[in-house]
Amino acid sequence: MNILITSAGRRSYLINYFKEALNGNGEVHASNSLWSDALQCADKAVITPLINHRQYIQFLIDYCLKNKIKAIIPLFDFDLWKLSVNKEKFDKHNIKLVVSDSKVINICNDKWNTYKFLKSIKINTPESSLSILESQKKIKRGLINYPLIIKPRWGTGSLSTYQVNNYHELIILFNKIKQEIASNHIKYESSQDIEKSIIIQEKINGSEYGVDIFNDLNSNYLTSVSKKKLSMRAGETDSAIIIKNKSISIIAKTLSNKLKHVANLDVDIIYNNNKYYVIDLNCRFGGQYPFSHLAGVNFPKAIINMLNQKKVNSKFLLYNTGTIGIKQINPIILKNEVS
Amino acid sequence: MNILITSAGRRSYLINYFKEALNGNGEVHASNSLWSDALQCADKAVITPLINHRQYIQFLIDYCLKNKIKAIIPLFDFDLWKLSVNKEKFDKHNIKLVVSDSKVINICNDKWNTYKFLKSIKINTPESSLSILESQKKIKRGLINYPLIIKPRWGTGSLSTYQVNNYHELIILFNKIKQEIASNHIKYESSQDIEKSIIIQEKINGSEYGVDIFNDLNSNYLTSVSKKKLSMRAGETDSAIIIKNKSISIIAKTLSNKLKHVANLDVDIIYNNNKYYVIDLNCRFGGQYPFSHLAGVNFPKAIINMLNQKKVNSKFLLYNTGTIGIKQINPIILKNEVS
């Protein structure tokens, strides 16, 4: 079976994990709108149009048919959304999308929906507002106070994320983020509601945690792997230690059950004053997965099992606590892109 | 000969380059105030006190004597400064510092000194000010205009660096950086002149370039390797292509000759409207060196030649243009630190 990893970006390690998972029984293809080391790692690679290009979906379908690709695994939020709303087109050609339902993607990609969803299922999350006026009302009512965090509602990573310590900073940085959104790829998703494209959140101080929550392709819970983050770089987890934590496990099972996502869900958490606050839901393999993988789980192998209609081998869900992982910087020569 | 790389941080690749350079004829030791993958890569590693700790220098001297270390190569700006002002103490014990004179470090680490130095040798650099008042005068005189870049005078990487588009943003973000400096390690160097610890610079738009300028241990020019930056991550060059560029070569030779640094100088450049502006001088191996190394030069081997009182093998200074390098993310298990 051949598979395609779209928006592969810089995640060469995931390409390698899937190559190991297929173990020669099929090819790992990787696609991206720019050439990268992840594409270089793949068995075969292709440069696609931009995700918002009107030809993107048809391009992928044509590529899959030509290369006998049976499943697509996207790695980028906007790509998840684009694929999920076009699921029927892929179904027609028997190309399986390892992607959640578009309703689920809309909860994860839109931080305002994330906030409302988490509140509705009674999971702690930072108090949030979509306007300066609303945030000021919450301050007056004593619900929140400075410092606040402001960031793009449809943002990823640490992109345009600022801490503001007072009203003046809030006004200035709110306008600054507006300009930054307009000059960034997130303008496409932000255009859904440009007047409400910035979210203002209570700042939760505390240690940062993460959890990979793994469902099967029918959205049933399989396992979760919790970790304490030890360092961050460019908004991504740079090193982490694998832990067992009852509170996080309960959150993981609740999220799995209520969100009903497909395959991996990457969740960011902050612990403060005996409470775990869920900060972010990413409905895909995220920057914390390699730490779970190094500790023993193998979600790529489990996904290949499921795509082959086999029962997931339980050893792919086992892991050791205490494992510390770090993302080493490994400079390599980037060869010319495929012609 | 054993050597010690201090403030090794996350630069495991440099540890490996030096291990290859010694080729078993001596050990590469690495030190840092926190355990990291670079320390794990070294033949031997040690956790040091913080650089500003009163025991730091004596700790290093004791460690070098105990481990028969003949030379120290620091990788972090504040460490360069601390070592350079204590050079005599190392000299006494015949421990060679591969570090420039403290006057040179003061030009590179202090962005205001960098600005004055570059102006004095007639190399283009962004017009700079140390106060809001001064920057406003320059705007009135038509010398500069918004957007401006503001950042800590003694900063590194992209730390607390903001673009400001108008006077209000300037006021607010100037105060914000002040607070950020106070809560960061750069407060130590900033304390030299805390009232003037923020620099306001003209923003130069354009393509980003970099050049490694390599002098011998007596500060004579050996070679330079120019590159065009293709992408950045967390303020560091993430991918780059090696080029030959006459204008940058002339700048490199001028800098080598006027600055009289020792070993490598990592220089950031922006090209705009037929002019090359030097943005930053880092008096050490920086984030762009691996791209030079992948293209063929081998400064670590050249340094080992020189430390062994040998002539530098000219092949260590040769390289190929057109080589594209990228920093691959390679997740690994971090073992427990040395006891």
Side-chain angles (χ1 to χ4, degrees):
Chain A
M1 177 180 47
N2 299 341
I3 62 165
L4 170 64
I5 316 281
T6 60
S7 300
R10 300 296 308 284
R11 306 224 160 131
S12 53
Y13 53 82
L14 264 180
I15 303 295
N16 288 329
Y17 295 164
F18 274 101
K19 281 169 78 172
E20 286 161 31
L22 281 176
N23 193 24
N25 298 313
E27 300 158 349
V28 175
H29 293 242
S31 72
N32 210 42
S33 61
L34 289 172
W35 183 248
S36 80
D37 56 323
L39 271 59
Q40 181 164 302
C41 276
D43 292 314
K44 288 180 185 161
V46 64
I47 302 291
T48 66
L50 291 172
I51 297 166
N52 65 311
H53 191 283
R54 61 188 170 76
Q55 285 297 320
Y56 182 67
I57 294 298
Q58 193 56 48
F59 181 94
L60 289 185
I61 291 172
D62 292 346
Y63 184 82
C64 288
L65 294 176
K66 192 178 153 200
N67 292 280
K68 301 195 172 87
I69 285 162
K70 296 293 175 217
I72 296 181
I73 300 158
L75 300 184
F76 179 59
D77 294 332
F78 184 42
D79 198 12
L80 300 177
W81 179 79
K82 186 81 178 189
L83 292 178
S84 70
V85 295
N86 285 284
K87 191 168 176 299
E88 281 182 16
K89 293 182 190 160
F90 291 92
D91 283 347
K92 262 187 214 162
H93 297 285
N94 282 317
I95 302 162
K96 172 79 181 165
L97 295 183
V98 183
V99 177
S100 296
D101 191 274
S102 62
K103 282 180 214 160
V104 176
I105 309 289
N106 275 327
I107 289 172
C108 298
N109 286 12
D110 175 344
K111 294 181 201 304
W112 179 246
N113 284 345
T114 305
Y115 164 73
K116 289 189 295 182
F117 170 73
L118 291 168
K119 292 278 266 192
S120 76
I121 62 169
K122 299 195 169 34
I123 286 180
N124 294 312
T125 189
E127 199 48 52
S128 302
S129 315
L130 285 183
S131 72
I132 291 175
L133 187 68
E134 200 55 45
S135 69
Q136 297 312 296
K137 281 185 191 163
K138 286 186 180 170
I139 288 175
K140 271 192 188 157
R141 283 160 54 201
L143 269 176
I144 55 170
N145 208 344
Y146 295 104
L148 302 174
I149 298 292
I150 58 172
K151 53 187 171 186
R153 178 172 165 187
W154 284 275
T156 51
S158 57
L159 189 75
S160 293
T161 298
Y162 297 100
Q163 174 176 323
V164 298
N165 299 312
N166 53 55
Y167 182 72
H168 291 294
E169 287 185 15
L170 175 58
I171 299 287
I172 292 291
L173 287 166
F174 193 90
N175 284 310
K176 196 169 168 57
I177 295 179
K178 255 195 190 165
Q179 293 166 29
E180 289 174 357
I181 287 173
S183 63
N184 189 285
H185 64 81
I186 55 172
K187 68 184 168 194
Y188 302 115
E189 277 192 282
S190 299
S191 66
Q192 292 172 56
D193 194 351
I194 194 72
E195 283 309 305
K196 293 183 175 171
S197 59
I198 296 170
I199 192 159
I200 304 170
Q201 298 189 315
E202 168 187 25
K203 183 183 181 188
I204 310 294
N205 288 306
S207 306
E208 294 184 58
Y209 293 82
V211 58
D212 280 311
I213 309 173
F214 192 53
N215 279 356
D216 67 20
L217 302 185
N218 298 314
S219 303
N220 302 303
Y221 179 84
L222 289 176
T223 192
S224 66
V225 187
S226 303
K227 55 204 68 85
K228 184 164 195 254
K229 299 180 183 184
L230 301 174
S231 65
M232 301 292 288
R233 187 164 188 258
E236 213 186 270
T237 312
D238 201 38
S239 66
I241 181 167
I242 300 300
I243 57 166
K244 289 237 194 248
N245 178 303
K246 259 198 180 170
S247 306
I248 296 179
S249 291
I250 293 169
I251 290 172
K253 281 175 191 159
T254 307
L255 278 172
S256 160
N257 192 253
K258 300 288 186 182
L259 189 63
K260 290 274 169 211
H261 64 283
V262 165
N264 202 20
L265 179 76
D266 166 300
V267 179
D268 297 323
I269 294 171
I270 298 180
Y271 176 70
N272 171 284
N273 201 15
N274 287 316
K275 284 184 184 169
Y276 289 88
Y277 292 81
V278 170
I279 303 298
D280 219 356
L281 304 176
N282 301 296
C283 206
R284 53 172 167 76
F285 284 105
Q288 66 173 287
Y289 176 68
F291 305 110
S292 303
H293 194 89
L294 287 168
V297 297
N298 200 317
F299 296 174
K301 283 189 179 172
I303 289 172
I304 298 298
N305 273 176
M306 294 186 282
L307 288 171
N308 281 325
Q309 319 287 344
K310 286 184 190 160
K311 202 170 167 292
V312 170
N313 187 328
S314 61
K315 74 178 177 188
F316 300 150
L317 307 178
L318 298 177
Y319 61 94
N320 297 311
T321 56
T323 307
I324 300 177
I326 192 162
K327 287 178 182 157
Q328 193 165 52
I329 300 163
N330 182 30
I332 59 161
I333 290 177
L334 189 67
K335 297 188 190 95
N336 285 328
E337 60 186 80
V338 285
S339 54
Chain B
M1 177 180 47
N2 299 342
I3 62 166
L4 170 64
I5 316 282
T6 61
S7 300
R10 300 297 307 284
R11 306 224 160 132
S12 54
Y13 53 81
L14 264 180
I15 304 295
N16 288 329
Y17 295 164
F18 274 100
K19 281 169 79 172
E20 285 161 31
L22 281 176
N23 193 24
N25 298 313
E27 300 158 350
V28 175
H29 293 242
S31 72
N32 210 41
S33 60
L34 290 172
W35 183 247
S36 79
D37 56 323
L39 270 59
Q40 181 165 302
C41 276
D43 293 313
K44 288 182 184 158
V46 64
I47 302 291
T48 66
L50 291 172
I51 297 166
N52 66 312
H53 191 284
R54 61 188 169 76
Q55 285 297 320
Y56 181 67
I57 294 298
Q58 194 55 49
F59 181 94
L60 289 185
I61 291 171
D62 292 346
Y63 184 82
C64 288
L65 294 176
K66 193 178 153 200
N67 292 280
K68 301 197 172 86
I69 285 163
K70 296 294 175 215
I72 296 181
I73 300 158
L75 299 184
F76 179 59
D77 295 333
F78 184 42
D79 198 12
L80 300 177
W81 179 78
K82 186 81 178 188
L83 291 178
S84 70
V85 296
N86 285 285
K87 190 168 176 298
E88 280 182 17
K89 292 181 190 161
F90 291 92
D91 284 347
K92 262 187 214 163
H93 297 285
N94 282 317
I95 302 162
K96 172 79 181 166
L97 295 183
V98 183
V99 177
S100 297
D101 191 273
S102 62
K103 282 180 213 160
V104 176
I105 310 289
N106 275 327
I107 289 172
C108 299
N109 286 13
D110 175 344
K111 294 182 201 304
W112 179 245
N113 284 345
T114 305
Y115 164 73
K116 289 189 295 182
F117 169 74
L118 291 168
K119 292 277 265 191
S120 76
I121 61 169
K122 299 194 167 34
I123 286 179
N124 294 312
T125 188
E127 200 48 53
S128 302
S129 315
L130 285 183
S131 72
I132 291 175
L133 187 68
E134 200 56 44
S135 69
Q136 296 312 295
K137 281 185 191 165
K138 286 186 180 171
I139 288 175
K140 273 193 186 156
R141 283 160 55 201
L143 270 176
I144 55 170
N145 208 343
Y146 295 104
L148 302 174
I149 298 292
I150 58 172
K151 53 187 171 186
R153 178 172 166 187
W154 284 276
T156 51
S158 57
L159 188 75
S160 293
T161 298
Y162 297 99
Q163 174 176 324
V164 298
N165 299 313
N166 53 54
Y167 183 71
H168 291 294
E169 287 185 14
L170 176 58
I171 300 286
I172 293 291
L173 288 167
F174 193 90
N175 284 310
K176 193 169 169 58
I177 296 179
K178 255 194 191 166
Q179 292 165 28
E180 289 174 358
I181 287 173
S183 63
N184 189 285
H185 64 81
I186 54 172
K187 68 184 168 194
Y188 302 115
E189 277 191 282
S190 299
S191 67
Q192 292 172 56
D193 193 351
I194 194 73
E195 283 309 306
K196 293 183 174 171
S197 59
I198 297 170
I199 192 160
I200 304 170
Q201 299 188 315
E202 167 187 25
K203 184 184 180 186
I204 310 294
N205 289 306
S207 306
E208 294 184 57
Y209 292 82
V211 57
D212 280 311
I213 309 173
F214 192 52
N215 280 357
D216 67 19
L217 302 185
N218 298 314
S219 303
N220 302 302
Y221 179 84
L222 289 176
T223 192
S224 67
V225 188
S226 304
K227 55 204 67 85
K228 184 165 195 252
K229 299 180 183 183
L230 301 174
S231 65
M232 302 292 288
R233 186 166 189 256
E236 213 186 270
T237 312
D238 201 38
S239 66
I241 180 167
I242 300 300
I243 58 167
K244 288 237 195 247
N245 178 302
K246 260 198 180 171
S247 305
I248 296 179
S249 290
I250 292 169
I251 290 172
K253 281 176 191 159
T254 307
L255 278 172
S256 160
N257 192 253
K258 300 287 186 183
L259 189 63
K260 291 274 168 209
H261 64 282
V262 165
N264 202 20
L265 179 75
D266 165 301
V267 179
D268 297 323
I269 294 171
I270 299 181
Y271 176 70
N272 172 283
N273 200 16
N274 287 317
K275 283 183 186 170
Y276 289 88
Y277 292 81
V278 170
I279 303 297
D280 219 356
L281 303 176
N282 301 296
C283 207
R284 53 172 167 76
F285 284 105
Q288 65 173 287
Y289 176 68
F291 306 110
S292 303
H293 194 90
L294 287 168
V297 297
N298 199 318
F299 296 174
K301 283 188 179 173
I303 288 171
I304 298 299
N305 273 176
M306 294 186 282
L307 288 172
N308 281 325
Q309 318 287 344
K310 286 184 189 160
K311 202 171 167 292
V312 170
N313 187 329
S314 61
K315 74 178 178 188
F316 300 151
L317 308 178
L318 298 176
Y319 61 94
N320 297 311
T321 56
T323 307
I324 300 177
I326 193 162
K327 287 178 182 158
Q328 193 165 53
I329 299 163
N330 183 29
I332 58 161
I333 289 177
L334 189 67
K335 298 189 189 94
N336 285 328
E337 61 186 80
V338 284
S339 55

